[in-house]
Amino acid sequence: DLKIVISTHDDLINQNLKLKSEQLLLRSQLQRLIAIESENNYLKSLMKSSRQLKSKTLIAELLAVDSEPYVNQVVLNKGTRDGVYVGQPVLDASGVMGQVAQAGLVTSRVILISDPHSGVAVQNTRNGMRTIAIGDSYAGKIRLMYVPKTADIRVGDLFITSGLGDQYPEGYPVGKVLNVTNNPAKSFLEVYLQPSAHLDSSREVLLVWYQKHA
């Protein structure tokens, strides 16, 4: 009887381990399916964004992210043989990513809008106020330049590309205002935006042929 009890106990343990193993496998497969569905939905959004733009577009994939401190740049798998040019706008499904800084034959380097060397002409969708947004890699955000202390600007305001400067298509989301600080020691308001584009997670992006390059 003791042998039967021990045998039954061992069988139950083995069955339990098998069930746990199968459960883990199913969970893993489910997470993979969720990831694939998410990626498919993102690509659909990207294609939708592409159709909304009147210019020629091309989907590119990220090959690498620059890991240097305070440098926000990525490398794409498209280059001059695909028609890529320096200064070309780069977007994702949600907003402005940046622009091409260097173009090789088969790859290109993109400077993101969060890089301190980046600058985007922007406009407030609520009241039409125009200014320049530059990268702040220390904060990982973007900030507005030379905003007067009398300016009508609120947390949550959406800034889009103004189309000035011949860099980006007009009307594409750049970021929403995170905070507005009136520092008495400074001549202008300190205004930070949360980028609309998913700068840290987008794997596919849109290269756009814009205006004179279209």
Side-chain angles (χ1 to χ4, degrees), residues 155-170:
V155 171
D157 280 355
L158 173 64
F159 278 81
I160 60 174
T161 49
S162 66
L164 299 177
D166 196 31
Q167 286 184 321
Y168 295 97
E170 183 181 356

